[in-house]
Amino acid sequence: MQSIDLNLLVVLDALLQEGSVTGAARRLHLTPPAVSRSLGRLRVITGDPLLVRAGRNLVATPVAERMRDRTHDVVAAVYEVLSPVTEPSDRELEKNLVREFRVRTGPDNAAGFGPSILDELRRRAPRVRLVLDQEGGDALAALRDGLIDLTLGSHVIDGNETLHREALLRDNVVVIGRRDGALAQACGDREASAADLSRRLHVIRTPRSVWHDPFERHFAEEGLERDVVATAPGFAAAFALVRSGDLVCLAPDRLTRSMLGDELRSWPVSIPLPELVIEQVWHHRSHTDPEHRWLRARVRAAVSSL
């Protein structure tokens, strides 16, 4: 395709609107000779005189008349595309927002944070849909290609110069057991010690959490052993086992609080264990987009409210 100087479209629009080289020059802040040279180039490109002299004035040819409205619309569209982006207010955005947001996260985060996130989104923008996308695959590529909008969780994706991340919540590890179970009878309302936990039967969640290895090292240093009788794919399943068998399970406090129900409760533990940091991660391609910024603000508010 032949290269076209788009500045010629601007000149053509001015000429067709003004019907005068002098008027077009005044509109464009150019000199009349510069506009005349552009008109000469336009005549060569289109194969038509475009404007012809009639006495002391110029009149448009039939070809130019047919081009007038289309040329003006094209120039207006170019200015619209290249003008600075004006961000809508949250109220304007929420009023008109109709779309689906995809957040990649694990089942525990989906259960712990999903209801609050959905409520925050739908309360403000009722026509928004939320898809909690299952973890797996190349998250970086999915963010880059726009297949997902965010990842949410604890170190769900490695660092990369094209990614942005924000810590939303820091969570402490607690031990979960039955309200009327053996741990409750041993501890009451005090924190659970390593000795307390060594006497209980344990459920662990898979995949293993960041505190698994430090917990095992502390037990080994104390000369204790943990009796693990079951593993479960996520905290919801682990808590069902705790509930049915008077077992115990280590879990993040704030993330899992809504999963406990009436039969389970939590106790702090005296063992020093690392915090769980929940973060949202997004690609640089969506960093300044108003709708994505709104989504991140809503996720931040929903997670922080817990």
Side-chain angles (χ1 to χ4, degrees):
M1 180 177 177
Q2 181 183 359
S3 177
I4 297 176
D5 183 355
L6 292 181
N7 288 318
L8 291 176
L9 274 176
V10 178
V11 175
L12 177 60
D13 179 51
L15 284 166
L16 296 178
Q17 297 299 319
E18 295 289 337
S20 160
V21 169
T22 302
R26 188 183 306 112
R27 173 186 284 215
L28 299 174
H29 304 289
L30 297 173
T31 64
V35 174
S36 292
R37 287 193 295 271
S38 295
L39 176 57
R41 294 176 61 191
L42 286 164
R43 285 167 170 164
V44 172
I45 292 171
T46 62
D48 186 86
L50 298 177
L51 294 170
V52 296
R53 188 161 296 281
R56 300 181 60 179
N57 299 318
L58 293 176
V59 296
T61 67
V63 170
E65 287 286 357
R66 291 193 295 270
M67 296 170 63
R68 188 193 309 271
D69 290 342
R70 284 189 299 154
T71 301
H72 187 69
D73 290 344
V74 168
V75 171
V78 169
Y79 277 118
E80 181 180 354
V81 168
L82 297 181
S83 62
V85 176
T86 302
E87 287 198 17
S89 67
D90 277 359
R91 178 169 295 184
E92 292 171 330
L93 189 150
E94 291 163 357
K95 179 180 179 181
N96 300 308
L97 191 56
V98 183
R99 63 164 296 171
E100 177 180 277
F101 287 114
R102 303 187 72 91
V103 178
R104 179 167 293 184
T105 192
D108 293 321
N109 293 309
F113 301 131
S116 181
I117 293 173
L118 180 60
D119 178 68
E120 177 73 14
L121 295 178
R122 298 274 299 172
R123 182 169 54 83
R124 291 174 171 267
R127 291 180 291 175
V128 162
R129 298 182 304 279
L130 174 65
V131 176
L132 296 174
D133 192 60
Q134 180 66 29
E135 288 179 319
D138 188 342
L140 174 58
L143 287 169
R144 181 196 62 215
D145 297 339
L147 300 178
I148 58 175
D149 301 300
L150 279 178
T151 65
L152 176 68
S154 176
H155 196 70
V156 292
I157 184 171
D158 291 331
N160 183 283
E161 66 275 8
T162 64
L163 297 178
H164 300 263
R165 61 182 68 239
E166 177 186 9
L168 301 177
L169 179 146
R170 297 181 180 275
D171 212 346
N172 295 317
V173 180
V174 294
V175 60
I176 307 299
R178 287 182 59 92
R179 288 184 179 275
D180 59 356
L183 185 64
Q185 295 173 16
C187 294
D189 290 327
R190 67 170 173 82
E191 65 181 10
S193 67
D196 293 321
L197 297 180
S198 69
R199 301 186 188 103
R200 308 278 79 81
L201 302 178
H202 288 247
V203 181
I204 60 173
R205 170 251 201 193
T206 56
R208 291 179 174 181
S209 302
V210 294
W211 59 79
H212 178 86
D213 290 342
F215 185 90
E216 295 293 345
R217 283 196 299 271
H218 184 88
F219 257 42
E221 291 168 0
E222 295 287 328
L224 302 172
E225 292 185 1
R226 178 160 61 154
D227 191 354
V228 177
V229 298
T231 61
F235 290 117
F239 292 172
L241 295 175
V242 170
R243 191 177 292 110
S244 66
D246 193 15
L247 312 177
V248 298
C249 177
L250 295 177
D253 180 23
R254 296 168 73 181
L255 172 62
T256 61
R257 198 174 293 168
S258 64
M259 305 180 196
L260 299 184
D262 295 331
E263 297 178 72
L264 302 181
R265 61 160 291 185
S266 66
W267 289 263
V269 295
S270 61
I271 302 170
L273 296 172
E275 289 181 317
L276 184 72
V277 179
I278 301 297
E279 61 182 8
Q280 59 178 343
V281 181
W282 63 96
H283 197 273
H284 189 67
R285 69 186 294 274
S286 62
H287 185 58
T288 59
D289 177 68
E291 293 182 2
H292 282 84
R293 290 174 64 176
W294 179 85
L295 168 66
R296 296 193 296 269
R298 304 283 67 77
V299 170
R300 181 187 309 120
V303 173
S304 299
S305 70
L306 299 176

